[in-house]
Amino acid sequence: MELFSSTVPISILNGFLSGANRSAVARLAERSGIPYELLQTPGARVTQEQFSTLYRLLATELDDEMPGIFSRPLRRGTLKFLCLSLLDAPRLEVALHRFGQFFHLIIDDLETVSRRDGAHACVELVAAPAGPGVSMLGCELMLKLVHGVASWLIRQKIPLAGVDFAFARPAQAADHLYLFPGPVRFDCDATRIAFDAGYLDQPIRQRKADLDAFLQRAPEDWIFVSFAERLVCHRVRQIIADRLPATPNIDDVAPGLNMSVRTLSRRLEAEGTTFQAIKDEVRRDIAIQRLTRSTDAIASIAYDVGFDNPTAFHRAFRHWTGSTPAAYRHGGTPVHAADGVRAG
């Protein structure tokens, strides 16, 4: 079976929508294919396509490419001019320094500081002393942006040695495994990403002619982790998805990864997850994708994700999302980038 992308918790969407009036929220959610009632269901989730559509709609509506995240809006065109300012840098180290200078000029909330730290390069977010403060969502998005732009500039996804947050571990910490391609830690002394310092010496390989394609794919290209950027949990997810409707256990999967069950369990624990959690996430995400993208019968979807009867599937789905499968069928048809709605 094709591996479907991970889904996005409703808490992230509500973070974006917190500054919008309720009529706009209802209208934009409907245009994104998101049933309005799901916004009020704490465990609900949406597809990456729905999230990206809502992001672009909000960026257009608010004229803000980081919709409502910072105290000053990032007007349409900000991402474009950011990238243009980086393209003639001789190497990534210079480009990251310019990235920090660019945002120092246009936002009051934080600064991005890049440096070499032994074998690693670090990009750290430093809150402005007199600034309004930045939410965890804002910090996540800024780290995603700097990592995504850096990877795009050198035409190579940069593996992360670590992602540190100066925040307490959130309730849905496992979702960070599918946002950042590297170990995520909380309660740290700073908010930063770290990667091999050798990448700083890589030349800039993109040109102005390549920029439009990158902007048209925003924000997918810099927010979401592709499953080519693999932690062990990503590889486990792939195997489980490929074997559905059979539901393999850890004893079935470990040999295919050339690991013992104990080693696989330890590796997953180090990444902040468990085999059972991944199996539930895969079945949940595939079910949500099918419910929002197809007219397949719920009983058929239940079978395809490993349930013998629809009743057990309904019970599990409500446990996973706080809502029923039918609720995900009430959304409209999402607006796509081809309809002229995009950031940048």
Side-chain angles (χ1 to χ4, degrees), residues 72-74 78 101-109:
R72 242 194 255 184
L74 302 187
T78 298
Q101 290 180 311
F102 183 93
F103 278 103
H104 177 67
L105 293 173
I106 63 172
I107 60 174
D108 302 321
D109 312 66

Side-chain angles (χ1 to χ4, degrees), residues 123-137:
V123 181
E124 184 174 327
L125 304 185
V126 179
V134 184
S135 67
M136 184 172 181
L137 175 59

Side-chain angles (χ1 to χ4, degrees), residues 39 77 91 110 123 126 149 194 243 306:
L39 297 175
R91 62 187 188 280
L110 55 78
V123 181
V126 179
V149 169
R243 295 188 184 180

Side-chain angles (χ1 to χ4, degrees), residues 184-343:
V184 178
R185 296 176 287 263
F186 300 95
D187 293 307
C188 298
D189 62 348
T191 297
R192 62 193 160 219
I193 56 173
F195 52 91
D196 189 309
Y199 286 99
L200 293 176
D201 300 317
Q202 289 285 318
I204 303 306
R205 294 187 168 90
Q206 300 286 3
R207 297 294 177 263
K208 186 176 179 180
D210 305 311
L211 182 55
D212 279 349
F214 179 66
L215 296 174
Q216 286 170 358
R217 293 190 301 267
E220 290 94 333
D221 273 9
W222 55 269
I223 288 186
F224 299 115
V225 172
S226 76
F227 286 93
E229 306 166 56
R230 303 222 166 166
L231 299 176
V232 173
C233 63
H234 297 156
R235 295 163 64 194
V236 170
R237 183 180 171 99
Q238 175 77 70
I239 292 170
I240 293 171
D242 286 344
R243 295 188 184 180
L244 288 175
T247 52
N249 57 38
I250 193 169
D251 301 276
D252 302 320
V253 171
L257 296 171
N258 297 314
M259 297 182 194
S260 67
V261 170
R262 180 175 295 183
T263 298
L264 178 55
S265 296
R266 280 202 308 265
R267 294 284 297 275
L268 293 176
E269 182 181 4
E271 292 178 4
T273 189
T274 65
F275 184 86
Q276 185 60 49
I278 295 169
K279 184 158 69 171
D280 287 342
E281 289 161 8
V282 170
R283 300 164 87 189
R284 175 201 69 200
D285 292 347
I286 290 175
I288 290 173
Q289 295 277 4
R290 292 275 298 278
L291 287 164
T292 57
R293 291 183 179 179
S294 78
T295 57
D296 297 342
I298 290 177
S300 174
I301 295 172
Y303 172 78
D304 287 344
V305 296
F307 289 88
D308 293 331
N309 64 80
T311 301
F313 172 63
H314 275 75
R315 187 164 53 246
F317 194 87
R318 185 180 281 277
H319 173 72
W320 294 333
T321 68
S323 190
T324 65
Y328 281 74
R329 281 272 162 89
H330 294 164
T333 302
V335 177
H336 299 281
D339 298 319
V341 181
R342 63 180 177 91

Side-chain angles (χ1 to χ4, degrees), residues 10-11 13-14 17 22 25-30 33-46 50 317-318 321-332:
I10 210 71
S11 58
L13 262 75
N14 284 327
L17 294 168
R22 301 318 294 171
V25 168
R27 173 168 46 81
L28 297 180
E30 180 182 359
I34 302 169
Y36 180 73
E37 60 267 28
L38 293 185
L39 297 175
Q40 301 161 39
T41 305
R45 307 181 71 87
V46 298
Q50 290 171 324
F317 194 87
R318 185 180 281 277
T321 68
S323 190
T324 65
Y328 281 74
R329 281 272 162 89
H330 294 164

Side-chain angles (χ1 to χ4, degrees), residues 67-90:
I69 296 298
F70 298 117
S71 56
R72 242 194 255 184
L74 302 187
R75 301 297 186 193
R76 278 175 287 173
T78 298
L79 182 56
K80 177 179 180 179
F81 283 99
L82 166 67
C83 293
L84 286 171
S85 74
L86 308 178
L87 287 175
D88 65 346

